[in-house]
Amino acid sequence: MKVPKRLEPLLQDALIDEVLGQLMSGKESEVYLVRCGDETRCAKVYKEIQHRSFHKQTQYTEGRKVRSSRRTRAMEKHSRFGRREQEEVWQNTEGDALRCLAAAGVRVPETYGFSEGVLLMELIVDGDGAVAPRLNDLRLTKTLAREYHRLLIDQVVLMLCAGLIHGDLSEFNILLAGDGPVIIDLPQVIDSAANNNAKRFFTRDVNNLTSYFGQFAPEILITEFAEEIWHHYENGDLQPGMPLTGQFARIEQAVDEDLIMQVIDDAREEAMARF
């Protein structure tokens, strides 16, 4: 095939030996199969910002750490330099997240380097050595649905313990390798401690898993893992591998209307006394 322009520098630098074909095209990147010596790997080519269709990016990038204060100020001012720096941070985020999560025991593709806006990664394959399918392309038995759901709940717990939230987790970015599910696509990864939207994104991720696997095992639909896990996270006692029930008891307290009205009246009298 004709070599994509963005991959030419990697061929020239011998980081890849051959481009075998395009694997997929998404909203923020294109993925190619490439040969590196005797191995077939993935080359994820990030689209330039004007060609991406990923919306509300600032909600995801809030709280991301930048080493240089000068770079941070430039990004906040949205100067030309700042936009360029922001784009570089965006493109580097996935590789950094994959390395962090792999070290934490999360099942994600192995990375082999980032160069010229291209991330080289492991090709995830099924039990026959073919490109692994997405969960969305499969129909599962009730037993497998329960098994994979529980495995992935353990994975999101590992991610949260590592301080990260996928932010866009669903059956569309989970591959079924020969030895189980593998999580992919993390350029929008969330800093769980620094992003004000963290709980909302985490809840959406977990509820996406609930909805998908609940199609095959309806009992999953009544679980409340998102609330249970986040409760442990906020209390500081969330641990990898901890037993979870999928149940969450909300503590509801009766509202004392008389007390509320008294507080309002006291505040009104105090305000009037100032005049």
Side-chain angles (χ1 to χ4, degrees), residues 16 46-47 75 84 91 137 144 173 179 192 247 263:
I16 61 177
Y46 293 95
K47 295 180 180 179
M75 290 166 62
R84 187 168 64 248
Q91 292 185 359
D137 296 324
L144 279 178
N173 42 40
D179 56 353
S192 61
Q247 299 175 358
V263 171

Side-chain angles (χ1 to χ4, degrees), residues 17-66:
D17 297 308
E18 183 182 3
V19 180
L20 303 175
Q22 187 176 38
L23 182 60
M24 63 159 291
S25 179
K27 55 192 174 185
E28 79 279 339
S29 65
E30 295 177 335
V31 180
Y32 294 87
L33 292 175
V34 297
R35 183 174 61 82
C36 300
D38 295 329
E39 294 186 5
T40 300
R41 296 176 178 173
C42 291
K44 187 168 188 175
V45 181
Y46 293 95
K47 295 180 180 179
E48 296 177 355
I49 191 168
Q50 63 268 29
H51 300 303
R52 290 203 302 259
S53 58
F54 194 84
H55 301 299
K56 299 182 180 179
Q57 180 175 321
T58 55
Q59 293 184 20
Y60 294 84
T61 57
E62 179 185 356
R64 288 185 181 174
K65 299 176 179 64
V66 180

Side-chain angles (χ1 to χ4, degrees), residues 41-248:
R41 296 176 178 173
C42 291
K44 187 168 188 175
V45 181
Y46 293 95
K47 295 180 180 179
E48 296 177 355
I49 191 168
Q50 63 268 29
H51 300 303
R52 290 203 302 259
S53 58
F54 194 84
H55 301 299
K56 299 182 180 179
Q57 180 175 321
T58 55
Q59 293 184 20
Y60 294 84
T61 57
E62 179 185 356
R64 288 185 181 174
K65 299 176 179 64
V66 180
R67 294 185 181 90
S68 166
S69 58
R70 173 173 173 265
R71 296 174 69 184
T72 301
R73 289 194 298 272
M75 290 166 62
E76 289 173 348
K77 293 178 180 178
H78 302 289
S79 64
R80 180 179 299 178
F81 171 73
R83 290 194 298 271
R84 187 168 64 248
E85 291 298 304
Q86 188 171 20
E87 184 68 6
E88 183 178 340
V89 169
W90 172 265
Q91 292 185 359
N92 277 281
T93 293
E94 182 167 24
D96 293 341
L98 288 171
R99 286 186 287 273
C100 172
L101 293 174
V106 181
R107 288 178 53 82
V108 292
E110 182 178 355
T111 59
Y112 301 109
F114 179 81
S115 176
E116 305 290 341
V118 180
L119 178 63
L120 285 176
M121 297 184 296
E122 171 190 9
L123 173 65
I124 304 300
V125 297
D126 64 15
D128 297 322
V131 175
R134 297 181 303 178
L135 277 182
N136 181 63
D137 296 324
L138 304 173
R139 290 202 59 81
L140 304 175
T141 64
K142 178 180 288 192
T143 299
L144 279 178
R146 289 198 297 257
E147 177 185 345
Y148 292 159
H149 177 254
R150 193 58 196 230
L151 285 172
L152 286 161
I153 289 296
D154 288 343
Q155 294 293 290
V156 296
V157 168
L158 281 173
M159 293 177 71
L160 191 54
C161 288
L164 298 176
I165 297 167
H166 188 286
D168 194 30
L169 188 62
S170 73
E171 64 271 23
F172 295 98
N173 42 40
I174 299 171
L175 302 180
L176 187 56
D179 56 353
V182 176
I183 296 172
I184 62 170
D185 288 343
L186 289 115
Q188 71 293 315
V189 67
I190 305 296
D191 185 318
S192 61
N195 192 307
N196 290 321
N197 298 295
K199 181 179 181 180
R200 178 168 64 86
F201 283 123
F202 179 79
T203 300
R204 188 178 69 182
D205 282 356
V206 175
N207 288 346
N208 282 344
L209 296 177
T210 300
S211 297
Y212 173 73
F213 289 108
Q215 299 175 79
F216 311 106
E219 64 271 22
I220 292 174
L221 296 173
I222 63 174
T223 59
E224 297 182 294
F225 282 106
E227 292 84 355
E228 182 185 10
I229 294 168
W230 196 262
H231 175 74
H232 286 295
Y233 174 70
E234 288 187 322
N235 284 350
D237 59 10
L238 184 67
Q239 297 291 331
M242 70 183 300
L244 298 168
T245 65
Q247 299 175 358
F248 182 68

Side-chain angles (χ1 to χ4, degrees), residues 240-261:
M242 70 183 300
L244 298 168
T245 65
Q247 299 175 358
F248 182 68
R250 293 171 176 81
I251 301 176
E252 298 182 359
Q253 296 179 339
V255 175
D256 189 334
E257 296 183 1
D258 291 338
L259 178 60
I260 292 175
M261 293 305 300

